[in-house]
């Protein structure tokens, strides 16, 4: 096995710094970094970067605003849409067009890799596309026997949401952007028979130059007026939105939690509880890390490991996956699979952080 590693990434990003630190710890030479923005402009750079046999890891393009813009504009062109303005920092703008550009880039990448058989890829482009399309991914997991929340399918707008709730006799659901990540645009929605309703989200509605825009913030917004909730849902639905049944999360003290599990080589490794008082427990929203082993009884831990192993087997061409799970009463449900879910600085499993553990797996 060659010691050579190439990253398609954003040089200087936290992910690259952590990988380089892991390489140094294992006395491996530094990884070569091919910038997303450079590869998008000049795909042949990949062939040059991978002339030497070795490993190749694809990191997310979102660390580089220029790469994000490139993919967004490519997607608009592919979908036959007019050119779009550049999104502002944190703005949720045409996530479906961004995904079209991203999926096309991943398909080009996969085609290039077929000519480089001496390169071992951490996560195959096809698996990355699948895990980035959240609705298709959940359906894929379900067909592999992985327990997931009940899927209500696409939501085309606020009125359609109300019809779906009535059809399924539900008063609370989670609404999720089909191509979102890190809870961006996720809405916890509930209503009661008296007509009151509430939507909780990290998406913030803002009026800018007479236009309604959505921004992903680190603080949670709560909406209770029908007009604001309708605007929120309609704006997200235009970028593709789906609904799933509301799973109650287990509690610890006066907070609740879910779990992030990193699988490496198909096996559950790092795991952490994400504890918070809000509906969304993602760690970047200033929620707290917790020790999963201290919160789960043996039956819960067995359910977590079984579900994580089964979910990882649905992505046989991926070394690493980040899985979000709710585990209660000896049952586990997978909320999401994330091809880029390994950014958990300082979280150790058998003494290794997530990047060191991946390198050990490939150099075993």
């Amino acid at each position: 096995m060659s010691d050579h590693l190439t990253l398609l990434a954003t040089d200087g990003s936290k992910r690259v710094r952590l990988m380089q630190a892991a390489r140094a710890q294992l006395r491996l030479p530094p990884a070569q970094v091919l910038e997303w923005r450079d590869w998008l402009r000049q795909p042949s750079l990949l062939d040059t970067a991978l002339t030497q046999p070795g490993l190749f890891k694809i990191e997310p393009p979102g660390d580089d605003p220029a790469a994000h813009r490139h993919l967004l504009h490519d997607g608009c062109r592919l979908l036959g849409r007019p050119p779009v303005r550049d999104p502002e920092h944190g703005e949720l703008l045409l996530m479906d067009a961004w995904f079209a550009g991203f999926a096309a880039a991943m398909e080009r990448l996969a085609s290039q890799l077929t000519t480089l058989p001496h390169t071992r890829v951490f996560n195959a482009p096809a698996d990355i596309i699948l895990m980035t399309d959240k609705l298709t991914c959940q359906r894929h997991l379900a067909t592999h026997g992985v327990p997931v929340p009940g899927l209500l399918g696409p939501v085309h707008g606020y009125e359609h949401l109300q019809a779906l709730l009535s059809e399924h006799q539900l008063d609370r659901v989670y609404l999720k952007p089909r191509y979102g990540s890190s809870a961006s645009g996720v809405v916890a929605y509930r209503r009661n028979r008296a007509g009151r309703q509430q939507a909780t989200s990290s998406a913030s509605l803002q009026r800018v130059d007479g236009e309604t825009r959505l921004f992903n913030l680190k603080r949670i917004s709560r909406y209770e007026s029908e007009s604001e909730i309708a605007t929120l849902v309609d704006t997200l639905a235009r970028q593709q939105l789906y609904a799933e049944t509301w799973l109650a999360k287990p509690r610890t003290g006066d907070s609740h939690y879910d779990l992030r599990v990193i699988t490496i080589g198909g096996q559950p490794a790092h795991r952490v509880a994400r504890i918070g008082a809000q509906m969304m427990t993602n760690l970047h929203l200033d929620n707290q890390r917790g020790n999963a082993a201290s919160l789960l009884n043996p039956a819960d831990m067995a359910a977590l490991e079984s579900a994580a192993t089964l979910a990882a087997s649905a992505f046989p061409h991926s070394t690493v996956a980040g899985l979000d799970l709710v585990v209660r009463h000896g049952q586990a449900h997978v909320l999401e699979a994330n091809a880029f879910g390994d950014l958990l600085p300082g979280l150790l499993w058998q003494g290794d952080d997530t990047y060191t553990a991946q390198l050990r797996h490939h150099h075993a």
Side-chain angles (χ1 to χ4, degrees), residues 11 13 15 47 66 79 94 112 138 191 208 252 264 280 283-284 294 299 307 340 349 352-353:
D11 208 3
S13 66
R15 293 172 186 272
D47 302 316
L79 295 176
L94 300 183
Q112 280 188 276
Q138 288 300 93
R191 66 181 189 181
V208 182
T252 176
I264 297 176
M280 287 75 182
L283 294 173
H284 76 283
S294 69
F340 305 122
W349 175 250
D352 287 334
D353 69 12

Side-chain angles (χ1 to χ4, degrees), residues 167 319 360:
E167 176 189 344
T319 298
R360 282 196 199 280

Side-chain angles (χ1 to χ4, degrees), residues 299-300 303-304 326-333:
D300 287 341
L304 176 146
V326 167
V327 185
R328 296 180 78 213
H329 309 312
Q331 290 189 309
H333 290 83

Side-chain angles (χ1 to χ4, degrees), residues 148-214:
V148 300
L151 292 169
L152 280 65
V155 174
H156 305 304
Y158 176 77
E159 294 300 332
H160 183 227
L161 169 63
Q162 299 305 314
L164 276 176
L165 291 171
S166 298
E167 176 189 344
H168 292 274
Q169 297 183 309
L170 294 172
D171 286 322
R172 52 175 60 194
V173 288
Y174 271 91
L175 306 174
K176 297 185 174 181
R178 183 165 181 166
Y179 310 114
S181 64
S182 302
S184 58
V186 173
V187 178
Y189 175 85
R190 49 190 172 182
R191 66 181 189 181
N192 64 23
R193 292 178 183 175
R196 292 188 61 189
Q197 52 186 321
Q198 183 183 88
T200 305
S201 179
S202 61
S204 173
L205 283 172
Q206 298 182 21
R207 293 289 290 176
V208 182
D209 299 329
E211 179 188 4
T212 299
R213 298 189 192 176
L214 273 179

